[in-house]
Amino acid sequence: MSVLSLSHVSLSYGQPSGTAALPVLKDVTLSLSRGDFVSVIGRSGSGKTSLMNLAAGFLRPTAGQVSIDGRPVTGPGPDRAVVFQDDALFPWRSVVDNVALPLKLAGKPRAEREATARHWLQAVDLAGQEGKHIWQLSGGQRQRVGIARALASGPDFLLMDEPLGALDAMTRDRMHELLLKLWDESHTGALLITHSVEEALFLSTSVVVLAPGPGRISFQEDYDYGRRFIRGEDPRALKSEPGFIAARERLLAAIYEKEAA
Amino acid sequence: MSDSTAETIPAQDRPSRPVKLRLPWGLLLGLATIGGLIAIWALASALGWASPVFLPSPARVWAALNRVAFEGYANATLLAHMGASLWRVFAALFFTMLVGVPVGLIIATSRIGRGILDPLVEFIRPLPPLAYLPLIIIWCGIGEGSKVLVISIAMLAPIVISTVSGVKAANENQIRAARTFGATRAQLIREVMLPAALPSIFTGMRIALGAGWTTLVASELVAATRGLGYMIQSAAQFLVTDMVIAGILVISALATASEILLRWLERRFLPWIGKS
């Protein structure tokens, strides 16, 4: 059981000399086990994306530690796959070759990477689109290719930075159900950065609210709507439960807390 | 999950705007400009505004073109002159790519590499070919290699600079994505940076070819027996102005043809340009 943990992590941007460092995150402690689905929400400027960049290893914390099973994270690695807000696909490769790239970089033989890529494309409902060019796909399809590519590398953790932000509402709803299915099948620990309260609430086993200036955890609560959906409950029924609506109000209150100040 | 139609119709299958009678205005304007210039030229020589030695008529230039094509001029036929010049320009492009693209990659990805190579490229970049031509002849002789080298030097900077700017234009998240898959530095360059730089490198090749044709005449100044530049200079020494103009027109036509070839290659092999 792998655990990705951030312990007492602080982050500041700015040159060591000259201008005063700009604090972005302050004393954030968070842990993500395989099988968890943790969402991070907060207003813009609360350091959500910085948090993900720390978990991915793109940034190093100014203080505190990011570690996996006690080993400190020193950079990005194949155990933590990232899904980017802009799909970050490679337009010079076909759909299937995009998904197969992590396996190619890992030195897997051609037949194996082809088979794995096809498997994950099928899992994201893109069977039959393997040979297409990236620019022939819609925004939702591109994000699914990005998710398939992330999962193809067989990661322990799936880190997603507002992957659905640019999609329309109906596409998002379908993507939520797909994400839950993939999370369940891949047994990854998912970390989702989002600005949608409903999305966070429906998908996550735990939602973390970041308060801005500098970003710190102001609220955290555990939920089971995603797991109940996987067990076969109807998503619309789940989202209209009194408990769901009350939880949404608690989260919204936490996000907009002290906004007047 | 099944796709809604709105999500799956790719852009090129959507109904296009209602078909209007659309003339290729750009092309027509270009042809009209060239036609107009030829008409003024013909008029000027017909009315005797300039002596035929200075400005031979279009008909005389056409005759010169036929003469060199079928009988030859300056020891060779037009085809042999064209062949020699084309070989020099494209051999130079080939060797410059072989050197310039790796140099550009090193400058773009390594601070030490940039420190060493950037000043060298910046030193070579503004040099006029006629200035370094004597040095190349003293160092490398008067053989074919020197001629290719002179053209290559003129092509180096566009290739290097376009490679550097292409690599720098690679999307930050594309590079990050490859790094999360555990890409080594070499893999990162081969799988992300180089392909991302290709559109820019192609632009660099087009600029380099332009520089190559510009430098061709200089490179054929010394000890050439074939080549369009040599042909023009031979004609100039005897004031055979119609042949000079014929040579210029052939160079221009070849340069245009190579530009069209590169654009075709770009569309054929880099179809993603401007689409994401």
Side-chain angles (χ1 to χ4, degrees):
Chain A
M1 182 77 134
S2 306
V3 184
L4 170 63
S5 50
L6 284 73
S7 73
H8 304 289
V9 164
S10 297
L11 178 73
S12 304
Y13 288 128
Q15 292 74 21
S17 60
T19 53
L22 178 72
V24 181
L25 288 172
K26 195 182 169 196
D27 198 25
V28 171
T29 297
L30 184 67
S31 86
L32 173 71
S33 303
R34 287 193 76 164
D36 284 352
F37 196 130
V38 175
S39 288
V40 177
I41 59 178
R43 283 181 273 154
S44 52
S46 59
K48 305 190 290 287
T49 296
S50 297
L51 185 74
M52 201 215 64
N53 286 337
L54 283 165
F58 299 139
L59 295 175
R60 306 286 291 277
T62 320
Q65 196 177 50
V66 181
S67 58
I68 295 171
D69 296 336
R71 284 171 287 109
V73 163
T74 54
D79 52 347
R80 284 152 292 141
V82 178
V83 179
F84 297 90
Q85 189 170 9
D86 62 330
D87 50 58
L89 297 174
F90 304 113
W92 49 87
R93 307 176 75 88
S94 68
V95 167
V96 68
D97 284 347
N98 262 278
V99 179
L101 183 67
L103 301 148
K104 186 183 179 194
L105 294 179
K108 296 282 195 302
R110 173 174 289 275
E112 183 189 335
R113 51 194 206 232
E114 188 100 334
T116 310
R118 282 176 191 278
H119 166 80
W120 284 110
L121 280 172
Q122 187 148 27
V124 298
D125 292 324
L126 285 174
Q129 317 277 346
E130 290 88 352
K132 280 203 175 161
H133 294 295
I134 296 303
W135 69 86
Q136 292 172 315
L137 303 182
S138 67
Q141 290 174 319
R142 285 181 185 209
Q143 273 308 354
R144 272 142 59 196
V145 175
I147 293 165
R149 181 178 68 175
L151 290 171
S153 59
D156 295 333
F157 303 100
L158 184 62
L159 313 178
M160 297 174 278
D161 184 12
E162 301 195 28
L164 315 179
L167 306 182
D168 63 83
M170 264 93 73
T171 310
R172 283 177 81 121
D173 279 348
R174 285 189 282 125
M175 286 291 283
H176 292 159
E177 297 168 18
L178 179 71
L179 269 181
L180 284 171
K181 196 186 84 185
L182 293 170
W183 164 65
D184 184 46
E185 280 173 15
S186 62
H187 306 292
T188 50
L191 179 71
L192 174 74
I193 309 297
T194 178
H195 51 238
S196 162
V197 173
E198 193 146 322
E199 181 171 294
L201 188 52
F202 178 61
L203 295 177
S204 312
T205 57
S206 182
V207 177
V208 170
V209 176
L210 276 187
R216 64 204 184 288
I217 294 176
S218 63
F219 185 81
Q220 180 162 16
E221 204 165 51
D222 295 346
Y223 306 103
D224 64 351
Y225 299 102
R227 288 208 170 108
R228 285 170 62 192
F229 168 77
I230 289 168
R231 286 198 297 268
E233 292 191 43
D234 176 61
R236 275 173 60 199
L238 285 171
K239 286 180 194 173
S240 49
E241 274 183 10
F244 188 97
I245 292 161
R248 191 179 67 198
E249 291 311 310
R250 282 198 301 282
L251 284 170
L252 282 169
I255 293 168
Y256 294 113
E257 181 179 50
K258 284 190 277 180
E259 185 166 50
Chain B
M1 184 167 75
S2 71
D3 295 303
S4 67
T5 40
E7 199 195 341
T8 49
I9 294 178
Q12 73 265 30
D13 292 351
R14 284 190 202 121
S16 55
R17 281 174 289 168
V19 181
K20 269 191 299 185
L21 186 65
R22 264 179 305 183
L23 293 166
W25 282 113
L27 185 69
L28 288 179
L29 269 177
L31 290 176
T33 308
I34 292 169
L37 280 175
I38 292 174
I40 293 170
W41 173 19
L43 199 69
S45 53
L47 296 178
W49 291 351
S51 141
V53 176
F54 291 115
L55 190 67
S57 69
R60 285 192 55 181
V61 170
W62 179 249
L65 210 54
N66 275 307
R67 201 161 75 244
V68 68
F70 296 111
E71 293 159 34
Y73 184 83
N75 315 323
T77 62
L78 183 61
L79 215 58
H81 287 307
M82 279 167 61
S85 292
L86 276 172
W87 187 88
R88 283 168 193 146
V89 168
F90 279 91
L93 181 65
F94 177 77
F95 289 117
T96 311
M97 296 287 293
L98 227 52
V99 174
V101 172
V103 166
L105 288 175
I106 291 168
I107 290 178
T109 56
S110 146
R111 200 168 295 179
I112 295 169
R114 189 175 68 212
I116 296 169
L117 294 169
D118 206 28
L120 291 180
V121 174
E122 285 304 312
F123 169 72
I124 292 171
R125 192 167 68 94
L127 293 183
L130 281 172
Y132 55 76
L133 178 69
L135 207 55
I136 299 294
I137 290 167
I138 292 167
W139 286 348
C140 308
I142 53 173
E144 200 63 14
S146 292
K147 297 178 181 61
V148 173
L149 185 58
V150 167
I151 302 173
S152 296
I153 292 171
M155 288 177 163
L156 186 66
I159 297 290
V160 172
I161 292 169
S162 67
T163 306
V164 173
S165 76
V167 170
K168 291 199 169 147
N171 179 330
E172 173 71 21
N173 278 346
Q174 289 176 334
I175 292 171
R176 284 179 160 182
R179 287 179 63 206
T180 62
F181 307 141
T184 62
R185 199 178 167 76
Q187 286 175 325
L188 206 58
I189 290 173
R190 195 178 63 236
E191 301 291 348
V192 184
M193 291 177 175
L194 191 58
L198 276 180
S200 175
I201 292 174
F202 254 76
T203 305
M205 281 168 72
R206 284 157 62 181
I207 298 171
L209 268 181
W213 289 111
T214 312
T215 314
L216 179 72
V217 180
S219 85
E220 292 176 349
L221 264 174
V222 176
T225 54
R226 294 277 150 90
L228 294 165
Y230 166 70
M231 185 185 105
I232 290 173
Q233 287 160 43
S234 308
Q237 277 166 6
F238 301 103
L239 285 179
V240 188
T241 320
D242 48 3
M243 196 58 80
V244 172
I245 295 178
I248 289 171
L249 292 180
V250 172
I251 288 181
S252 160
L254 287 182
T256 307
S258 52
E259 169 78 12
I260 289 169
L261 173 77
L262 270 184
R263 283 190 199 177
W264 179 81
L265 285 173
E266 197 174 85
R267 272 201 306 275
R268 173 74 183 72
F269 293 106
L270 311 175
W272 72 84
I273 290 177
K275 281 179 176 151
S276 58

